Amino acid sequence: MRILSGIQPTNVVTLGNYLGAMKNFVKLQNEFEDADILVFVADLHSITIPKDRSELKKNIKTLAALYIAVGLDPKKVHLFIQSEVPPHAELSYIIECNSYIGEMERMIQFKEKSQKEGETVTTGLLTYPCLMAADILLYDTDLVPVGADQKQHLELTRNIAERFNNKYGDTFKVPEPYIVKKSARIMSLQDPDKKMSKSDPNPKGYITLLDNINEAKNKIRRAVTDSIGIIKYDEENQKGLANLINIYSLLTNLSIEEIEKKYIGLGYKEFKEDLAEIVGQELEKIQDNYSSILASNELDEILDEGREYALKLAERKLAKVHKKIGLGR
Ligand code: ATP
Ligand code: LTN
């Protein structure tokens, strides 16, 4: 079985990315001993919205190191940088020629992000799902762990794979999404109707894995809740609190019922103080690992191995695609 996923090196990953995506990569790594796992830094994806050169360079390295810091084992996982494996961009172009503008325009992420960009929406932002489909289909991927916001892109990937197979004969494996309901959508700490996003202009809404520990704790203490005052999981009337209970549950492995029971008779202040401590401890652990990875020279070796491994598989698949279509001599 092959498992694959990627994250864009835009800003530093948030607690939402960590709980919704990265923690599940680690869980799958530990659950499926024999699985072949590919994880990458989606740098080509991040330039769909133009980026400052030195920021991008820094974020690529940070994300690569954070993948290891959160618990991905380089002996089990092949970690690589997307742009270092050229078949991704090549297959993406071929997929562009086998998909429709209408399908791309219907993607919610495109609608949202293009609205924000206004006049300067790049062509790459529109064709983004073709690149994502290429990432997945190059490797005969079985399972793709992602947060809920990527579900639509995965459905499109499945449609593209099936369409291609019908047209040119069996070429691609049709992948399955892996979305864990409880962690699939961590909400903003300031506006529980919006997902926690690393590109939110208000940094109080998100916690990054490299935030200063005290600042991170304060963000939890000041998270928007309500005036009901009882620790109860109610997604409708106590949305902000429900989000915090989810985060609590994901970080401690306590069930929602256990958490509710623990705080009977107590208020938001005590609950938030405990959660701030829990989040602080988790960040401290990750940040310690992160520092030691950067201090060693391990990271380059890990990324070299990942690139060679990915390149071999990707080139083989791309050659097969060329043949099926009739490209080249
Ligand atoms: P941006 O919000 O800046 O567009 P992002 O935070 O969504 O970026 P991505 O690189 O697009 O980051 O996503 C990386 C992974 O994290 C994806 O699997 C995505 O589904 C997941 N993810 C992102 N935000 C959340 C969230 N708030 N809750 C759970 N999972 C999330
Ligand atoms: N589009 C994804 C990141 C991503 C990805 C992928 C995830 C790019 N390629 C392939 C899984 C598989 C996002 O989270 N924005």
Side-chain angles (χ1 to χ4, degrees), residues 6-8 16-17 20-21 113 145-150 183-186 195-199:
I7 296 180
Q8 303 184 61
N17 300 128
K113 291 200 172 175
V146 282
D149 59 333
Q150 296 303 313
S183 62
R185 212 170 143 75
I186 302 298
K195 75 158 194 166
M196 183 181 285
S197 160
K198 52 179 141 70
S199 45

mmCIF file of all heavy atoms in Angstrom, residues 6-8 16-17 20-21 113 145-150 183-186 195-199, ligand 1:
data_model
loop_
_atom_site.group_PDB
_atom_site.id
_atom_site.type_symbol
_atom_site.label_atom_id
_atom_site.label_comp_id
_atom_site.label_asym_id
_atom_site.label_seq_id
_atom_site.Cartn_x
_atom_site.Cartn_y
_atom_site.Cartn_z
ATOM 1 N N GLY A 6 1.077 15.996 0.795
ATOM 2 C CA GLY A 6 1.967 17.157 0.737
ATOM 3 C C GLY A 6 1.343 18.351 1.432
ATOM 4 O O GLY A 6 0.127 18.390 1.659
ATOM 5 N N ILE A 7 2.166 19.305 1.786
ATOM 6 C CA ILE A 7 1.710 20.565 2.384
ATOM 7 C C ILE A 7 2.467 21.700 1.699
ATOM 8 O O ILE A 7 3.644 21.543 1.344
ATOM 9 C CB ILE A 7 1.965 20.564 3.914
ATOM 10 C CG1 ILE A 7 1.123 19.470 4.591
ATOM 11 C CG2 ILE A 7 1.654 21.929 4.521
ATOM 12 C CD1 ILE A 7 1.299 19.380 6.094
ATOM 13 N N GLN A 8 1.795 22.829 1.517
ATOM 14 C CA GLN A 8 2.463 23.969 0.889
ATOM 15 C C GLN A 8 3.351 24.705 1.890
ATOM 16 O O GLN A 8 2.916 24.951 3.013
ATOM 17 C CB GLN A 8 1.418 24.969 0.414
ATOM 18 C CG GLN A 8 0.404 24.423 -0.527
ATOM 19 C CD GLN A 8 -0.508 25.529 -0.995
ATOM 20 O OE1 GLN A 8 -0.073 26.488 -1.616
ATOM 21 N NE2 GLN A 8 -1.780 25.405 -0.681
ATOM 22 N N GLY A 16 -3.779 23.719 13.032
ATOM 23 C CA GLY A 16 -4.774 23.107 12.141
ATOM 24 C C GLY A 16 -4.127 22.138 11.170
ATOM 25 O O GLY A 16 -4.583 20.998 11.015
ATOM 26 N N ASN A 17 -3.044 22.550 10.528
ATOM 27 C CA ASN A 17 -2.323 21.657 9.613
ATOM 28 C C ASN A 17 -1.777 20.447 10.373
ATOM 29 O O ASN A 17 -1.802 19.316 9.883
ATOM 30 C CB ASN A 17 -1.110 22.355 8.974
ATOM 31 C CG ASN A 17 -1.478 23.584 8.160
ATOM 32 O OD1 ASN A 17 -0.922 24.647 8.368
ATOM 33 N ND2 ASN A 17 -2.420 23.450 7.244
ATOM 34 N N GLY A 20 -4.916 18.321 11.567
ATOM 35 C CA GLY A 20 -5.722 17.843 10.444
ATOM 36 C C GLY A 20 -4.939 16.984 9.471
ATOM 37 O O GLY A 20 -5.508 16.116 8.813
ATOM 38 N N ALA A 21 -3.643 17.221 9.360
ATOM 39 C CA ALA A 21 -2.889 16.490 8.347
ATOM 40 C C ALA A 21 -1.664 15.787 8.943
ATOM 41 O O ALA A 21 -1.609 14.556 9.004
ATOM 42 C CB ALA A 21 -2.483 17.450 7.232
ATOM 43 N N LYS A 113 -9.858 31.673 -3.170
ATOM 44 C CA LYS A 113 -8.543 32.327 -3.277
ATOM 45 C C LYS A 113 -8.525 33.344 -4.406
ATOM 46 O O LYS A 113 -7.877 34.386 -4.283
ATOM 47 C CB LYS A 113 -7.437 31.282 -3.470
ATOM 48 C CG LYS A 113 -7.217 30.452 -2.222
ATOM 49 C CD LYS A 113 -5.877 29.755 -2.186
ATOM 50 C CE LYS A 113 -5.670 29.117 -0.813
ATOM 51 N NZ LYS A 113 -4.463 28.315 -0.715
ATOM 52 N N PRO A 145 -3.920 11.158 3.014
ATOM 53 C CA PRO A 145 -4.399 11.823 4.237
ATOM 54 C C PRO A 145 -4.389 13.347 4.081
ATOM 55 O O PRO A 145 -3.351 13.940 3.816
ATOM 56 C CB PRO A 145 -3.394 11.381 5.309
ATOM 57 C CG PRO A 145 -2.161 10.980 4.564
ATOM 58 C CD PRO A 145 -2.571 10.593 3.182
ATOM 59 N N VAL A 146 -5.551 13.967 4.244
ATOM 60 C CA VAL A 146 -5.685 15.432 4.128
ATOM 61 C C VAL A 146 -6.790 15.928 5.059
ATOM 62 O O VAL A 146 -7.557 15.140 5.604
ATOM 63 C CB VAL A 146 -6.069 15.868 2.678
ATOM 64 C CG1 VAL A 146 -4.879 15.855 1.748
ATOM 65 C CG2 VAL A 146 -7.217 15.039 2.134
ATOM 66 N N GLY A 147 -6.893 17.244 5.192
ATOM 67 C CA GLY A 147 -8.005 17.853 5.906
ATOM 68 C C GLY A 147 -9.212 17.972 4.981
ATOM 69 O O GLY A 147 -9.113 17.752 3.763
ATOM 70 N N ALA A 148 -10.369 18.317 5.564
ATOM 71 C CA ALA A 148 -11.629 18.309 4.817
ATOM 72 C C ALA A 148 -11.618 19.260 3.615
ATOM 73 O O ALA A 148 -12.277 18.995 2.602
ATOM 74 C CB ALA A 148 -12.775 18.681 5.752
ATOM 75 N N ASP A 149 -10.852 20.350 3.702
ATOM 76 C CA ASP A 149 -10.859 21.321 2.601
ATOM 77 C C ASP A 149 -10.293 20.751 1.293
ATOM 78 O O ASP A 149 -10.490 21.341 0.243
ATOM 79 C CB ASP A 149 -10.100 22.594 3.009
ATOM 80 C CG ASP A 149 -8.654 22.311 3.384
ATOM 81 O OD1 ASP A 149 -8.361 21.187 3.826
ATOM 82 O OD2 ASP A 149 -7.811 23.211 3.209
ATOM 83 N N GLN A 150 -9.608 19.630 1.373
ATOM 84 C CA GLN A 150 -9.019 19.051 0.152
ATOM 85 C C GLN A 150 -9.879 17.952 -0.476
ATOM 86 O O GLN A 150 -9.505 17.352 -1.483
ATOM 87 C CB GLN A 150 -7.629 18.491 0.461
ATOM 88 C CG GLN A 150 -6.635 19.559 0.882
ATOM 89 C CD GLN A 150 -6.488 20.640 -0.166
ATOM 90 O OE1 GLN A 150 -6.343 20.368 -1.356
ATOM 91 N NE2 GLN A 150 -6.565 21.896 0.249
ATOM 92 N N SER A 183 -10.666 15.818 13.295
ATOM 93 C CA SER A 183 -9.546 16.756 13.139
ATOM 94 C C SER A 183 -9.566 17.450 11.783
ATOM 95 O O SER A 183 -8.699 18.261 11.483
ATOM 96 C CB SER A 183 -8.227 15.999 13.297
ATOM 97 O OG SER A 183 -8.117 15.027 12.280
ATOM 98 N N ALA A 184 -10.580 17.145 10.971
ATOM 99 C CA ALA A 184 -10.551 17.564 9.567
ATOM 100 C C ALA A 184 -10.663 19.069 9.384
ATOM 101 O O ALA A 184 -10.258 19.604 8.364
ATOM 102 C CB ALA A 184 -11.668 16.864 8.808
ATOM 103 N N ARG A 185 -11.218 19.744 10.373
ATOM 104 C CA ARG A 185 -11.440 21.182 10.224
ATOM 105 C C ARG A 185 -11.302 21.883 11.567
ATOM 106 O O ARG A 185 -12.275 22.075 12.297
ATOM 107 C CB ARG A 185 -12.856 21.379 9.643
ATOM 108 C CG ARG A 185 -12.961 22.587 8.753
ATOM 109 C CD ARG A 185 -14.288 22.591 8.024
ATOM 110 N NE ARG A 185 -14.796 23.925 7.896
ATOM 111 C CZ ARG A 185 -14.336 24.835 7.048
ATOM 112 N NH1 ARG A 185 -13.376 24.544 6.222
ATOM 113 N NH2 ARG A 185 -14.856 26.034 7.004
ATOM 114 N N ILE A 186 -10.083 22.240 11.890
ATOM 115 C CA ILE A 186 -9.823 23.018 13.100
ATOM 116 C C ILE A 186 -10.132 24.472 12.749
ATOM 117 O O ILE A 186 -9.733 24.973 11.704
ATOM 118 C CB ILE A 186 -8.336 22.864 13.530
ATOM 119 C CG1 ILE A 186 -7.990 21.386 13.771
ATOM 120 C CG2 ILE A 186 -8.025 23.725 14.751
ATOM 121 C CD1 ILE A 186 -8.759 20.706 14.882
ATOM 122 N N LYS A 195 -12.088 28.384 8.937
ATOM 123 C CA LYS A 195 -11.068 27.393 9.299
ATOM 124 C C LYS A 195 -9.785 28.106 9.727
ATOM 125 O O LYS A 195 -9.511 29.227 9.270
ATOM 126 C CB LYS A 195 -10.799 26.424 8.145
ATOM 127 C CG LYS A 195 -9.978 26.981 7.010
ATOM 128 C CD LYS A 195 -9.311 25.861 6.188
ATOM 129 C CE LYS A 195 -8.247 26.487 5.294
ATOM 130 N NZ LYS A 195 -7.311 25.591 4.684
ATOM 131 N N MET A 196 -9.035 27.468 10.620
ATOM 132 C CA MET A 196 -7.735 28.024 10.996
ATOM 133 C C MET A 196 -6.848 27.971 9.764
ATOM 134 O O MET A 196 -6.705 26.924 9.147
ATOM 135 C CB MET A 196 -7.122 27.208 12.134
ATOM 136 C CG MET A 196 -5.807 27.796 12.614
ATOM 137 S SD MET A 196 -5.012 26.847 13.935
ATOM 138 C CE MET A 196 -5.988 27.241 15.356
ATOM 139 N N SER A 197 -6.298 29.130 9.393
ATOM 140 C CA SER A 197 -5.522 29.171 8.149
ATOM 141 C C SER A 197 -4.229 29.944 8.354
ATOM 142 O O SER A 197 -4.209 30.978 9.026
ATOM 143 C CB SER A 197 -6.374 29.851 7.077
ATOM 144 O OG SER A 197 -5.562 30.331 6.037
ATOM 145 N N LYS A 198 -3.138 29.401 7.777
ATOM 146 C CA LYS A 198 -1.853 30.073 7.959
ATOM 147 C C LYS A 198 -1.754 31.349 7.149
ATOM 148 O O LYS A 198 -0.818 32.122 7.313
ATOM 149 C CB LYS A 198 -0.692 29.121 7.679
ATOM 150 C CG LYS A 198 -0.708 28.364 6.363
ATOM 151 C CD LYS A 198 0.553 27.486 6.263
ATOM 152 C CE LYS A 198 0.333 26.121 5.655
ATOM 153 N NZ LYS A 198 0.046 26.111 4.238
ATOM 154 N N SER A 199 -2.717 31.598 6.261
ATOM 155 C CA SER A 199 -2.676 32.877 5.544
ATOM 156 C C SER A 199 -3.725 33.865 6.076
ATOM 157 O O SER A 199 -4.018 34.864 5.435
ATOM 158 C CB SER A 199 -2.818 32.649 4.039
ATOM 159 O OG SER A 199 -3.836 31.741 3.770
HETATM 160 P P1 ATP B 1 -3.962 28.314 3.468
HETATM 161 O O1 ATP B 1 -4.998 28.367 4.510
HETATM 162 O O2 ATP B 1 -2.875 29.284 3.623
HETATM 163 O O3 ATP B 1 -4.490 28.203 2.102
HETATM 164 P P2 ATP B 1 -3.631 25.830 4.598
HETATM 165 O O4 ATP B 1 -3.372 26.174 6.003
HETATM 166 O O5 ATP B 1 -4.959 25.322 4.180
HETATM 167 O O6 ATP B 1 -3.194 26.995 3.688
HETATM 168 P P3 ATP B 1 -2.359 23.742 3.073
HETATM 169 O O7 ATP B 1 -0.928 23.595 2.702
HETATM 170 O O8 ATP B 1 -3.286 24.135 2.010
HETATM 171 O O9 ATP B 1 -2.501 24.778 4.242
HETATM 172 O O10 ATP B 1 -2.854 22.442 3.792
HETATM 173 C C1 ATP B 1 -2.038 21.437 4.314
HETATM 174 C C2 ATP B 1 -2.883 20.348 4.937
HETATM 175 O O11 ATP B 1 -3.490 20.824 6.131
HETATM 176 C C3 ATP B 1 -4.049 19.882 4.060
HETATM 177 O O12 ATP B 1 -4.197 18.487 4.202
HETATM 178 C C4 ATP B 1 -5.228 20.598 4.620
HETATM 179 O O13 ATP B 1 -6.423 19.915 4.361
HETATM 180 C C5 ATP B 1 -4.902 20.616 6.098
HETATM 181 N N1 ATP B 1 -5.533 21.729 6.792
HETATM 182 C C6 ATP B 1 -5.392 23.058 6.507
HETATM 183 N N2 ATP B 1 -6.095 23.810 7.354
HETATM 184 C C7 ATP B 1 -6.702 22.956 8.225
HETATM 185 C C8 ATP B 1 -7.573 23.139 9.347
HETATM 186 N N3 ATP B 1 -7.947 24.337 9.743
HETATM 187 N N4 ATP B 1 -8.008 22.041 9.997
HETATM 188 C C9 ATP B 1 -7.631 20.815 9.601
HETATM 189 N N5 ATP B 1 -6.818 20.578 8.564
HETATM 190 C C10 ATP B 1 -6.356 21.633 7.870
#
